């Protein structure tokens, strides 16, 4: 008999799950049904991604040009952080390596030795992705490891609603059934406590073997029904509200997201092909909705094209995102905050791990534990990475920043910072999303510098080091010069 998989929720998480599962599972053995309610709607934000999205689309055999046109996408080389360290400061966290490891010595050690590490923007000059972003240039990178173009990566900014529509068509073509209606109750087997069925609009009952909870912040299945505990991280990630407004594009479309720190939070600018997405993420301890909305409106340049969307959230995660026969994917499993655009990536990771551990022969404790442990590592690292941005501020112009600057941080992050300061090393654990150069971008970007460097560097003379740095900088400048502007790269696709 065929097994029934029920996905509840038709936001980005629901449709990404439907697309990936319908692609991965044999329809001879599985029925997939997605239940959504247009009356409830989706969260309506979530438009900046990180490079992993390319892998996801590729696994579905999605044609890149078609996807870009249908989702009004633009290219993203990283994020510019403005006013985070202090007012007037700016750095980019690029999806790109900084220099290259030479004879087993990390590149930033060369900058530490020459004391160039503290020179503003200097480290960025050795990163092709950084320099392309600063110059509004974009080219699809080359994957030949011998080519310097292989040293950067890219992602997209896209319209989240259009992406969900795109994946909806894809999923329906693959045989996914859809059901419109509000899930009014979730019914359990009395003996095992597994989910037996859901009731739609107090009327129709849908039975299932496996349930994917994609109900967003409502967390209807894993949270409300199966009572998964919520771990709250507000003591580290203070922001708990956002207001989003769309506007017309005004000038050049930058190939990166802008994240500008304000007194009580930060503002995003996500450039799509047809409009700008804007939002203010803030802490409700210091600011109410009306003030936040006014503040955001004052900081938007183009004409407004949508009404404000106010969103409440709690930074944190469910203690377990797989319980019995229910797996939470997306906001129902947790949400940190949008600063590093990690949420869609975490959806992708949840789905890939579900496919990896798919319970073809039944659900076991081992499967559930492995899945939950691997997801914990993902959430924990992203949490530490986000906290770093707040903790490493030098700002003292509001209670919000005073709190962030002086807060106690998780031991794992504290150790990472201290090891870096003392030795220049950035250690890496298995399964981590952010790698050495991601940490480096933010640590150096926010003024945390190493005191020492790899002593093997003493085999190089000062002259050797200087000429090596000069050559790399020149090579990168030449490459950037030859790249098309982002707007031209887009015209090639849209025209
Ligand atoms: C302010 C903010 C900014 C963000 N920015 C980014 C970003 O730039 N990049 C990024 O990667 N992520 C971002 N995110 C996260 C991103 O928006 C989400 O990860 C993504 O949209 C997935 O949401 P979802 O599908 O889990 O939930 P939702 O979009 O809320 O969808 C929930 C679905 O469940 C359905 N539903 C709920 N209850 C019921 C019910 N009882 N019966 C039937 N259906 C029901 C709803 O109708 C809807 O279809 C942001 C989040 C916030 C809050």
């Amino acid at each position: 008999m065929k097994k029934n998989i029920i996905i509840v929720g038709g936001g980005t998480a629901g449709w990404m799950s439907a697309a990936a599962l319908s692609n991965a599972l044999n329809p001879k053995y599985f029925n997939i049904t997605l239940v959504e309610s247009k009356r409830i709607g989706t969260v309506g934000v979530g438009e900046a991604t990180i490079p992993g999205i390319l892998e996801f689309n590729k696994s579905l055999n999605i044609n890149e040009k078609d996807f870009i046109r249908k989702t009004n996408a633009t290219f993203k080389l990283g994020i510019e952080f403005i006013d985070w360290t202090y007012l007037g400061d700016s750095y980019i966290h690029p999806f790109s390596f900084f220099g290259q490891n030479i004879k087993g010595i990390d590149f930033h050690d060369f900058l530490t030795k020459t004391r160039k590490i503290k020179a503003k923007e200097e480290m960025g000059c050795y990163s092709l992705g950084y320099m392309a972003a600063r110059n509004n240039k974009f080219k699809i990178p080359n994957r030949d490891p011998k080519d310097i173009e292989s040293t950067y990566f890219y992602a997209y900014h896209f319209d989240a609603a259009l992406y969900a529509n795109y994946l909806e068509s894809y999923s329906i073509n693959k045989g996914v059934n859809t059901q419109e209606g509000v899930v009014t109750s979730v019914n359990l087997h009395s003996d095992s406590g597994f989910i037996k069925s859901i009731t739609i609009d107090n009327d129709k009952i849908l039975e299932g073997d496996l349930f994917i909870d994609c109900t967003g912040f409502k967390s209807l299945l894993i949270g409300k029904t199966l009572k998964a505990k919520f771990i709250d991280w507000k003591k580290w990630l203070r922001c708990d509200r956002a207001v989003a407004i769309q506007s017309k594009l005004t000038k050049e479309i930058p190939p990166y997201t802008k994240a500008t720190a304000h007194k009580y939070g930060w503002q995003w600018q996500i450039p799509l092909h047809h409009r700008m997405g804007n939002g203010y993420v803030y802490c409700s301890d210091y600011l109410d909705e009306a003030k936040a909305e006014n503040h955001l409106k004052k900081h938007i340049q183009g004409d407004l094209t949508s009404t404000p969307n106010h969103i409440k959230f709690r930074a944190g995660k469910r203690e377990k995102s797989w319980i019995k026969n229910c797996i939470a994917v997306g906001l129902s499993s947790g949400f940190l905050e949008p600063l590093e655009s990690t949420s869609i990536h975490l959806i992708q990771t949840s789905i890939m791990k579900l496919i990896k551990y798919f319970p073809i022969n039944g659900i076991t404790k081992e499967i559930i534990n492995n899945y939950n442990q691997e997801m914990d590592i993902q959430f924990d690292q992203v949490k530490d990475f986000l906290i770093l941005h707040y903790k490493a501020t030098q700002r003292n112009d509001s209670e919000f920043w005073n709190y962030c600057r002086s807060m106690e941080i998780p031991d794992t992050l504290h150790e990472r910072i201290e090891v870096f300061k003392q030795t220049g090393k950035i250690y890496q654990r298995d399964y981590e999303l952010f790698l050495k150069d991601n940490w480096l971008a933010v640590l150096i970007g926010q003024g945390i510098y190493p005191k020492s460097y790899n002593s093997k560097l003493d085999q190089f003379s000062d002259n050797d080091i200087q000429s090596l740095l000069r050559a790399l900088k020149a090579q990168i400048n030449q490459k950037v010069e030859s790249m098309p502007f982002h707007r031209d790269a887009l015209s090639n696709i849209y025209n």
Side-chain angles (χ1 to χ4, degrees), residues 8-16 34-50 76 158 160 179-185 199-201 213-221 241-244 257 266 268 270 279-281 309 311-313 329-335 337-347:
V8 187
T12 309
W15 286 114
M16 282 177 78
L34 184 143
V35 184
E36 66 179 327
S37 165
K38 300 275 187 237
R39 271 173 284 163
I40 295 179
T42 65
V43 69
V45 283
E47 310 201 307
T49 60
I50 57 176
K76 174 178 172 187
F158 57 54
Q179 176 80 52
E180 165 66 33
V182 173
V183 175
T184 42
S185 66
T199 310
I200 300 170
D201 291 330
D213 183 350
C214 299
T215 58
F217 289 129
K218 288 201 165 35
S219 200
L220 186 62
L221 281 65
R241 295 282 189 282
V243 50
T257 305
W266 63 276
W268 79 72
I270 300 178
Y280 185 21
V281 178
N309 173 12
I311 303 158
K312 288 185 186 166
F313 62 86
V329 176
L331 299 174
S332 60
S333 69
F335 178 59
E337 69 135 282
L339 188 58
E340 285 278 356
S341 325
T342 41
S343 201
I344 294 174
H345 187 85
L346 288 169
I347 294 175

Side-chain angles (χ1 to χ4, degrees), residues 5 7 16-26 32 60 176 210 212 351 354-355 358:
I5 301 174
I7 299 169
M16 282 177 78
S17 303
L21 290 176
S22 62
N23 184 49
L25 300 176
N26 188 336
I32 304 175
L60 301 182
V176 171
L210 197 66
I212 318 289
I351 298 168
L354 171 58
I355 292 171
F358 199 83

Side-chain angles (χ1 to χ4, degrees), residues 211-214 222 318 321-322 326-330 332-333 350 371:
F211 290 81
I212 318 289
D213 183 350
C214 299
I222 202 110
R318 297 280 156 192
S321 49
W322 185 335
C326 173
I327 299 106
V329 176
S332 60
S333 69
S350 308
Y371 177 93

Side-chain angles (χ1 to χ4, degrees), residues 228-259:
K229 202 174 138 200
F230 185 82
I231 303 173
D232 194 318
W233 284 330
K234 186 166 173 180
K235 66 176 169 188
W236 296 308
L237 296 169
R238 304 285 295 159
C239 294
D240 56 2
R241 295 282 189 282
V243 50
I245 308 180
Q246 297 164 7
S247 65
K248 284 193 179 157
L249 290 170
T250 47
K251 36 186 188 206
E252 194 81 28
I253 304 177
Y256 52 90
T257 305
K258 282 189 189 183

Side-chain angles (χ1 to χ4, degrees), residues 182-199:
V182 173
V183 175
T184 42
S185 66
V186 181
N187 316 305
L188 304 181
H189 285 281
S190 54
D191 47 349
S192 63
F194 275 46
I195 299 178
K196 184 173 183 228
S197 62
I198 51 173
T199 310

